[in-house]
Amino acid sequence: MTAQTFDLIVIGGGPGGYVAALRAAQLKLRTALVEREHLGGICLNWGCIPTKSLLHTADTLRSIRHASELGLKVGIPEIDFARVMARSRSIANRLSGGVAHLLKKAGVTVLNGHASFTADQAIEVRAANGDTQQLTAKHTVLATGAHARGLPLLPFDGRRVWNYRDALSATHLPRSLLVIGAGAIGMEFASFFATLGTKVTVVEAQPRVLPGGEAEVSAFVQRSFERDGIAVRTGATVEAATVTTDAVSVNLRTSSGTETLKVERVLVAIGLIGNTDSLGLDHTRVHVERGQIVVDGWGATDAPGVYAIGDLVGAPMLAHKASHQGVACVEHMAGLHEGRQAPQFLVPACTYCHPQTASVGLTEDEARERGVSLRVGRFPLEGNGKAVAIGEASGFVKTLFEANTGMLLGAHIVGPEATELIHGFALASTLEATEAELIETIFPHPTLSEAMHESVLAAFGRALHI
């Protein structure tokens, strides 16, 4: 069989892989991208994008329910659940088609099938019909993403026990739902289903929801969820479970004893596992440790010419991190960063539940564990004119600075449009701005962003509106 030869083969067409392929094409590298399912990967088709469609529906419904507070009289809204889900799928399909168009325009060769290394270091692509073809390249980027981690006591069945993909394919609104795992995925689905009327319980083994984030933000979100009627059980684990044709019974172990819940559906959202299987990595020197491919700062593996990016290389498993890594590793292999040290990525984290959360940099606990001398600023949104005007004055901004240098160490926002605001602090950190530059920056009025400014001022005893 004659092998096609490329400068670069990208395996996986998600936000890391397709962006890497586009950047490679810009750099005039002859590039092939292999994707076994849908261009855009899990993020575009079964994650980031379709869930944001659902959450926008929930936010709109919430606004309608509070319309009377704005002097608007509206009728009781009716939920067409099938149409809600169909809109989510149509948006994903539209954007996946957009990715295909971008790749075609850039001159990237797109191949549909499963790619794996062969014993002679080539790449074999096996199509769904069983046909195979051989590819070779000087460089390969592995960007195969991750899949949902299962719970042995509650294996996914697509009916009573869901993963995120099952939840996005739901045909009717469940009366009750148990969400196991209070990370971003679990909290977003809990927020969506509860807003539409499902009785939701969230269970988390760690002491708090959103366990990887800022403790004050986690506490605020939990209180908000509970006010919205969502039951939250932290420090709780599943001891036993029984799945029947019409319900799921789950026994929980909590700090106060045991509890039994009977629900219509269970969503297991306890994390992700990188897709390293079936890639033929045993034919390479690629090293996998605890389910993650070991790479250097440029994404290079122990196998010459083989790189890995995104979820495959570990947390944070976020689309924007994968895209950024994809660009960096392609530019490195193309020689654009000769002699430069590998970049230290500062990755913002966002959760799109209600209320939204967004963070960048260190948490206060992390900073104190490092022995850093801190200045901490907090500003409540109830002191922000725009937040009050739009009826969204619940939340706060928190900033952390190194006391002696004024270096911005971390920033955390909870409340309206938090995910749209956090880039300001990310940009400031990238530019190595200190408190002096941030204090001197003029933030427009009236905007939610003024709360960011006030939080910086608060860290140095200069807050004006509190």
Side-chain angles (χ1 to χ4, degrees), residues 217-252:
V217 171
S218 297
F220 184 92
V221 172
Q222 180 168 335
R223 290 193 299 270
S224 296
F225 268 41
E226 290 171 341
R227 281 196 298 270
D228 287 342
I230 300 173
V232 179
R233 304 285 187 270
T234 54
T237 56
V238 177
E239 283 197 327
T242 302
V243 180
T244 64
T245 57
D246 60 356
V248 183
S249 294
V250 178
N251 295 338
L252 300 178

Side-chain angles (χ1 to χ4, degrees), residues 36 52 120 165 171 178 183 228 233 239 252 278 288 316 332 339 372 382 401 423 428-429 437 460:
R36 67 181 181 184
K52 301 313 161 284
D120 59 359
R165 190 162 179 159
T171 57
L178 173 63
D228 287 342
R233 304 285 187 270
E239 283 197 327
L252 300 178
S278 304
V288 180
H332 175 68
V372 177
E382 61 189 14
F401 292 88
H423 78 279
S429 295
E437 288 82 19
F460 294 86

Side-chain angles (χ1 to χ4, degrees), residues 15 41 45-46 95 125 134 173 193 206 211 234 261 271 285 305 310-311 315 339 381 422 433 443 448 456 464:
N45 293 282
W46 298 102
L95 293 178
V125 179
Q134 299 283 323
L173 186 66
F193 281 106
Q206 298 299 313
T234 54
L261 299 175
R285 289 164 52 188
D311 294 354
L381 291 182
I422 197 63
F443 287 72
L448 296 170
V456 176
L464 298 170

Side-chain angles (χ1 to χ4, degrees), residues 184-207:
I185 294 173
M187 295 295 276
E188 289 182 2
F189 276 114
S191 183
F192 166 72
F193 281 106
T195 302
L196 267 64
T198 301
K199 181 181 179 182
V200 175
T201 301
V202 175
V203 171
E204 171 56 51
Q206 298 299 313

Side-chain angles (χ1 to χ4, degrees), residues 311-369:
D311 294 354
L312 286 178
V313 301
M317 292 185 175
L318 300 170
H320 45 283
K321 181 204 76 170
S323 297
H324 207 74
Q325 285 180 327
V327 170
C329 84
V330 166
E331 291 181 347
H332 175 68
M333 70 176 66
L336 268 62
H337 301 300
E338 206 67 47
R340 285 181 54 183
Q341 289 187 336
Q344 297 293 317
F345 296 119
L346 186 68
V347 184
C350 300
T351 307
Y352 298 79
C353 57
H354 183 81
Q356 288 187 13
T357 75
S359 298
V360 67
L362 299 178
T363 66
E364 183 174 354
D365 288 343
E366 289 169 340
R368 296 198 183 281
E369 286 171 4

Side-chain angles (χ1 to χ4, degrees), residues 205-220:
Q206 298 299 313
R208 55 188 175 88
V209 301
L210 300 174
E214 174 63 37
E216 287 186 52
V217 171
S218 297
F220 184 92

